[in-house]
Amino acid sequence: GDRAHIAVRGRAAELDRLYGASIAYTVRKKGENQCLGFVGSFLDERYVPGGERLLEPMADLLGELLLDPLTRNGRFLADYVESEKENLIDAIESILNDKRDYADARLLQEMCRGERYGIDRLGTVTGVERLTNQTLYRYYNELLATARIELFYCGSADCARVEGALDTETMDVTQAKLAMGYRAASEDTPALLLANLIFGGYSNSKLFLNVREKLSLCYYASSGYHRSKGIITVSSGIEAQNYEVARREIAAQLEAVQNGDFEPWELEGARSCMLSSLRSREDSAGRLEEYYLGQAATGLWEDTDALLVQLEAVTPERVAEAARSIRLDTVYFLTGKEGAAQ
């Protein structure tokens, strides 16, 4: 989307302002460990005119890439993921086409069968093909929550300054997760679908625009409607000390939907998003397969054409009424050191 391209251009421009600094990703296999990360290269400040500082802005940019990637509706952007999957498959296949590299890789696979060391650092084509933007984002969050972080600096800055620039509180390496589960009792499915979208289901939702963008309380915040169970869940990443205020603001956004406190553009934007999603399903074999599997597994059969017509007829009053059936059931809060559920 436009926002994605703006973000990429903004980061490139920022690197240009830092005297042509660069950032690259790394994927390395060290012993039994898979090591993923970023490497930032920039001019040593001894050679920068006017004593301008480069270490701190580079550390901030690396922290943003690691902890605040571009997402939409609680997942990575599908176009970006598909493009990077193609790049990764090309890299894997280039090994297969180089008989020397392929023989070396196959040797380790056979010699270390059943051990982590036998797995190639880039994985397999089949494994890459199975990835979706949603599953990849789940893996990303698991990585942040469980992986050991190592920070290395090579340059002329003194140790104390480097520690300050790479401080884990500043970079929020131990980002906390706040997950909230609601029960939705309304049987007005089209209205609930739109209520969820207005609440937190897409990039112009109240959670995204207010809690994340305006108040900057969350690194990400989105909601999902699990239709087969009548459940709405909220997923958010926050700084641990913001737990109470983030929870309060998330509740306030739901209350606004329940009170009908949303603009016509919010409803029409949600309606347009939902209609577009349903119509585009016909263009994807994978989405169609998942859709029919879901119906077969749950026994809840749905006529897409009928749902399209029903969505067109939903009024603001119906959205608010359906939203008023949504009640908080469970809160789960996970910090870097321990998790707590209530």
Side-chain angles (χ1 to χ4, degrees), residues 89-164:
I89 288 173
D90 287 344
I92 294 170
E93 290 181 339
S94 72
I95 296 174
L96 301 180
N97 295 329
D98 185 311
K99 297 305 182 253
R100 177 176 174 176
D101 287 346
Y102 177 69
D104 291 343
R106 289 290 294 119
L107 168 68
L108 290 178
Q109 288 173 11
E110 293 300 326
M111 188 174 180
C112 303
R113 182 176 294 276
E115 301 175 50
R116 287 187 295 177
Y117 197 77
I119 301 173
D120 189 83
R121 69 185 184 93
L122 298 182
T124 64
V125 171
T126 302
V128 176
E129 289 174 339
R130 282 200 300 262
L131 288 174
T132 68
N133 58 333
Q134 189 169 10
T135 58
L136 191 64
Y137 191 65
R138 185 170 70 247
Y139 293 141
Y140 159 78
N141 281 305
E142 291 175 3
L143 183 71
L144 283 190
T146 61
R148 173 178 170 181
I149 303 293
E150 294 284 352
L151 303 170
F152 299 92
Y153 168 78
C154 300
S156 64
D158 63 71
C159 184
R161 185 177 155 211
V162 174
E163 288 179 354

Side-chain angles (χ1 to χ4, degrees), residues 299-341:
L300 301 175
W301 300 96
E302 169 191 283
D303 183 328
T304 300
D305 290 336
L307 181 57
L308 290 170
V309 173
Q310 293 164 5
L311 285 165
E312 292 277 18
V314 172
T315 62
E317 293 75 19
R318 280 177 58 190
V319 169
E321 183 178 356
R324 284 194 288 273
S325 77
I326 301 171
R327 294 286 183 271
L328 182 64
D329 182 280
T330 304
V331 176
Y332 186 87
F333 184 53
L334 177 69
T335 66
K337 293 183 179 179
E338 61 182 12

Side-chain angles (χ1 to χ4, degrees), residues 15 37 55 63 66 94 105 107 138 149 175 192 201-202 237 242 251 265 274 303 323:
L15 289 170
L55 172 59
L66 179 64
S94 72
L107 168 68
R138 185 170 70 247
I149 303 293
Q175 185 186 116
L192 266 180
Y202 78 127
N242 286 338
W265 67 265
M274 193 70 235
D303 183 328

Side-chain angles (χ1 to χ4, degrees), residues 172-197:
D172 188 41
V173 171
T174 55
Q175 185 186 116
K177 315 295 178 188
L178 172 60
M180 304 172 70
Y182 301 80
R183 302 282 181 181
S186 174
E187 295 184 0
D188 190 346
T189 296
L192 266 180
L193 285 167
L194 297 180
N196 171 66
L197 283 171

Side-chain angles (χ1 to χ4, degrees), residues 1-6 70 72 77 79-80:
D2 292 340
R3 184 173 175 270
H5 294 126
I6 290 170
L70 190 63
R72 181 179 297 137
L77 273 67
D79 289 349
Y80 281 24

Side-chain angles (χ1 to χ4, degrees), residues 18-314:
L18 297 176
Y19 299 92
S22 64
I23 293 177
Y25 70 87
T26 64
V27 181
R28 300 165 181 162
K29 187 170 68 175
K30 299 296 181 183
E32 299 292 327
N33 298 309
Q34 177 90 330
C35 302
L36 313 175
F38 294 105
V39 173
S41 301
F42 55 100
L43 193 62
D44 195 287
E45 291 168 6
R46 290 176 297 181
Y47 308 107
V48 178
E52 182 180 351
R53 293 193 162 203
L54 302 184
L55 172 59
E56 286 78 8
M58 279 297 290
D60 288 344
L61 187 54
L62 283 168
E64 180 185 349
L65 287 170
L66 179 64
L67 300 166
D68 191 21
L70 190 63
T71 61
R72 181 179 297 137
N73 301 337
R75 61 192 71 182
F76 291 124
L77 273 67
D79 289 349
Y80 281 24
V81 170
E82 292 306 313
S83 175
E84 289 305 321
K85 283 170 61 176
E86 291 178 9
N87 292 338
L88 183 52
I89 288 173
D90 287 344
I92 294 170
E93 290 181 339
S94 72
I95 296 174
L96 301 180
N97 295 329
D98 185 311
K99 297 305 182 253
R100 177 176 174 176
D101 287 346
Y102 177 69
D104 291 343
R106 289 290 294 119
L107 168 68
L108 290 178
Q109 288 173 11
E110 293 300 326
M111 188 174 180
C112 303
R113 182 176 294 276
E115 301 175 50
R116 287 187 295 177
Y117 197 77
I119 301 173
D120 189 83
R121 69 185 184 93
L122 298 182
T124 64
V125 171
T126 302
V128 176
E129 289 174 339
R130 282 200 300 262
L131 288 174
T132 68
N133 58 333
Q134 189 169 10
T135 58
L136 191 64
Y137 191 65
R138 185 170 70 247
Y139 293 141
Y140 159 78
N141 281 305
E142 291 175 3
L143 183 71
L144 283 190
T146 61
R148 173 178 170 181
I149 303 293
E150 294 284 352
L151 303 170
F152 299 92
Y153 168 78
C154 300
S156 64
D158 63 71
C159 184
R161 185 177 155 211
V162 174
E163 288 179 354
L166 299 179
D167 182 86
T168 54
E169 279 192 20
T170 303
M171 293 179 66
D172 188 41
V173 171
T174 55
Q175 185 186 116
K177 315 295 178 188
L178 172 60
M180 304 172 70
Y182 301 80
R183 302 282 181 181
S186 174
E187 295 184 0
D188 190 346
T189 296
L192 266 180
L193 285 167
L194 297 180
N196 171 66
L197 283 171
I198 295 170
F199 175 39
Y202 78 127
S203 57
N204 280 331
S205 68
K206 289 184 176 296
L207 288 184
F208 188 91
L209 294 179
N210 295 314
V211 181
R212 183 187 188 278
E213 298 288 292
K214 183 178 178 181
L215 299 176
S216 298
L217 283 173
C218 300
Y219 295 99
Y220 62 89
S222 64
S223 67
Y225 175 33
H226 308 250
R227 295 166 62 184
S228 62
K229 288 292 290 182
I231 289 174
I232 288 177
T233 56
V234 169
S235 174
S236 66
I238 65 174
E239 293 185 13
Q241 65 267 27
N242 286 338
Y243 168 75
E244 291 293 347
V245 64
R247 179 174 169 175
R248 185 168 64 246
E249 286 300 328
I250 289 171
Q253 302 309 316
L254 176 58
E255 186 176 354
V257 182
Q258 293 171 330
N259 292 336
D261 185 13
F262 48 86
E263 300 296 325
W265 67 265
E266 292 180 88
L267 173 56
E268 294 314 313
R271 196 191 320 266
S272 175
C273 178
M274 193 70 235
L275 294 174
S276 176
S277 177
L278 289 172
R279 287 168 179 150
S280 66
R281 184 164 60 193
E282 301 294 324
D283 300 325
S284 169
R287 288 186 63 197
L288 277 174
E289 180 273 329
E290 183 180 7
Y291 164 65
Y292 285 113
L293 172 64
Q295 296 205 88
T298 62
L300 301 175
W301 300 96
E302 169 191 283
D303 183 328
T304 300
D305 290 336
L307 181 57
L308 290 170
V309 173
Q310 293 164 5
L311 285 165
E312 292 277 18
V314 172

